[in-house]
Structures are given as structure tokens and as C-alpha cells.
């Protein structure tokens, strides 16, 4: 399908592919993780998780092609290339999945998930500290406050892993939504003929 804007209007596309992980980096105060987002973060994570698996060049563009054209021997399904695997492992790790959980969801060996997650948190330890902070808030029934000032107290069972994972997802997802909504509101407020 093709979408065309109304006469005199323009359509835009906002790429939010790494927004949540970048917000998590800022929430954790992990400057190295924030810095990784200044390039192709998914390719950089692939190099981090499997430094010896492919002949990396250090150039994000070249290494992206390399990572997307090679599948690991432990999951050689078409489309399950190294970069694809890194994205899933990093997002799963950020949002509280254990190596067992990642292995089960991705249908990969647990040893692979465990080694990759260890490499990730070794490189970005402040993300783990942020997770501990969120865990403590959830267990104590305290509200989680987003950068936009939203206060949310999760009403699930505080001892339930599911509630903890909701807490981890809440702030990055809510913050990205608020940033996008604020930007769209400003565009509308500036360009709506009824307001000019």
C-alpha cells in the first residue's frame, strides 16, 4: 500500500529502532553504552558478543554486512544471522531475561545465551545496577518515576518475575512514547492552520 499526504501536507517517518536501548543507557548512566549508540549499535553489540567468530574490520558498515551474511552454527536458520541474534540477546538481557529464558525463547543453546549475556553485562555493568534499582522498587512496592515525571506503581505480585520485567520495560518504553508524542504535538501546534 502507498500512503500519500494531503495537499500541502508532508508525511514523515521516525526511526525508533534503538531508542529504547539508548534510554536504558541513559537511565543506567552507562556512558560506554550511550557511546555505542553513536554508531550502528547492533553491529557493535555483535562484535562485542562474538569477537572471535568473524573477521571483524572495526568499520560498522562493513561489519554489518559481514554479520548479516553469516549465521552461527548453533542456529543456521535463514535470517538468524549474527546481528539478528545479537539484537535479540541484548534486548532480552536489558529487559530481564535470564540466559535460560533467552535460550528457550530463541531456541539456541543456553551456553551461548549465557556467554553472550555475560559479555554484554561485563562491558556495560551499570545496566545491571539499573536493573537492581528497578528490582528493589518493585519488591518494595515503590513507584517507578520516568524522566517525564510519570509515577507508576506496579500492582502485580512484587515477588513475581513478570512484575519485575514490567518495571524494566516501563521507563524506556514510556519515555520513548512521551518523546514521540511531545514531538508530534509540537509539529501539530506549529503547523495546524487553525492555530496559526
Amino acid at each position: 500500500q502507498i500512503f500519500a499526504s494531503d495537499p500541502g501536507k508532508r508525511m514523515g517517518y521516525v526511526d525508533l529502532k534503538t531508542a529504547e536501548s539508548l534510554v536504558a543507557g541513559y537511565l543506567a548512566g552507562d556512558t560506554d553504552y550511550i557511546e555505542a549508540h553513536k554508531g550502528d549499535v547492533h553491529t557493535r553489540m555483535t562484535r562485542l558478543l562474538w569477537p572471535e567468530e568473524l573477521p571483524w574490520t572495526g568499520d560498522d558498515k562493513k561489519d554489518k554486512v559481514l554479520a548479516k551474511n553469516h549465521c552461527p552454527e548453533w542456529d543456521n536458520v535463514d535470517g538468524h544471522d549474527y546481528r539478528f541474534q545479537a539484537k535479540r540477546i541484548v534486548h532480552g538481557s536489558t529487559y530481564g531475561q535470564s540466559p535460560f529464558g533467552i535460550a528457550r525463547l530463541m531456541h539456541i543453546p543456553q551456553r551461548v545465551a549465557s556467554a553472550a549475556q555475560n559479555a554484554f553485562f561485563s562491558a556495560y555493568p551499570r545496566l545491571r545496577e539499573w536493573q537492581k534499582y528497578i528490582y528493589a522498587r518493585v519488591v518494595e512496592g515503590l513507584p517507578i518515576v520516568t524522566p517525564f515525571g510519570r509515577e507508576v506503581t506496579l500492582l502485580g505480585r512484587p515477588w513475581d518475575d513478570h512484575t519485575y520485567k514490567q518495571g524494566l520495560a516501563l521507563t524506556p518504553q514510556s519515555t520513548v512514547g512521551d518523546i514521540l508524542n511531545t514531538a508530534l504535538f509540537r509539529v501539530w501546534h506549529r503547523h495546524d492552520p487553525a492555530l496559526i
Side-chain angles (χ1 to χ4, degrees):
Q1 294 182 349
I2 297 174
F3 293 87
S5 58
D6 293 334
K9 305 290 183 184
R10 293 199 186 344
M11 291 186 72
Y13 170 74
V14 180
D15 182 347
L16 300 174
K17 292 177 184 172
T18 62
E20 288 180 27
S21 64
L22 182 56
V23 169
Y26 274 101
L27 292 169
D30 198 308
T31 54
D32 290 335
Y33 195 53
I34 294 166
E35 190 66 28
H37 284 74
K38 293 182 179 176
D40 180 350
V41 68
H42 297 312
T43 298
R44 291 177 179 197
M45 293 305 105
T46 309
R47 281 195 304 255
L48 170 73
L49 302 187
W50 298 290
E52 307 297 327
E53 302 296 319
L54 295 171
W56 303 114
T57 68
D59 179 282
D60 286 353
K61 287 184 181 179
K62 291 177 183 176
D63 288 347
K64 179 179 180 178
V65 173
L66 189 65
K68 286 179 73 68
N69 285 314
H70 289 86
C71 290
E73 54 87 21
W74 37 265
D75 186 8
N76 59 4
V77 175
D78 189 38
H80 287 202
D81 55 74
Y82 276 102
R83 192 170 183 274
F84 170 82
Q85 299 288 359
K87 286 167 71 171
R88 294 173 79 195
I89 290 171
V90 166
H91 286 307
S93 298
T94 301
Y95 287 140
Q97 285 289 337
S98 66
F100 173 78
I102 291 171
R104 189 166 149 245
L105 287 171
M106 293 176 55
H107 305 289
I108 64 173
Q110 187 172 338
R111 64 175 171 75
V112 171
S114 183
Q117 190 175 82
N118 286 340
F120 177 64
F121 284 124
S122 292
Y124 309 111
R126 298 204 61 181
L127 285 170
R128 189 61 102 186
E129 294 303 313
W130 167 69
Q131 289 179 330
K132 290 176 183 175
Y133 167 77
I134 295 296
Y135 180 79
R137 306 277 306 171
V138 169
V139 167
E140 294 170 23
L142 298 171
I144 296 169
V145 183
T146 74
F148 279 80
R150 293 183 188 274
E151 287 190 26
V152 179
T153 302
L154 298 171
L155 300 177
R157 297 179 179 102
W159 59 85
D160 191 330
D161 205 38
H162 179 71
T163 309
Y164 165 56
K165 289 174 186 171
Q166 284 180 324
L168 290 175
L170 170 72
T171 310
Q173 292 175 355
S174 170
T175 301
V176 170
D178 283 339
I179 289 169
L180 183 58
N181 289 339
T182 300
L184 291 172
F185 175 79
R186 288 178 179 173
V187 169
W188 168 76
H189 194 266
R190 182 172 178 182
H191 296 288
D192 188 331
L195 299 173
I196 296 176

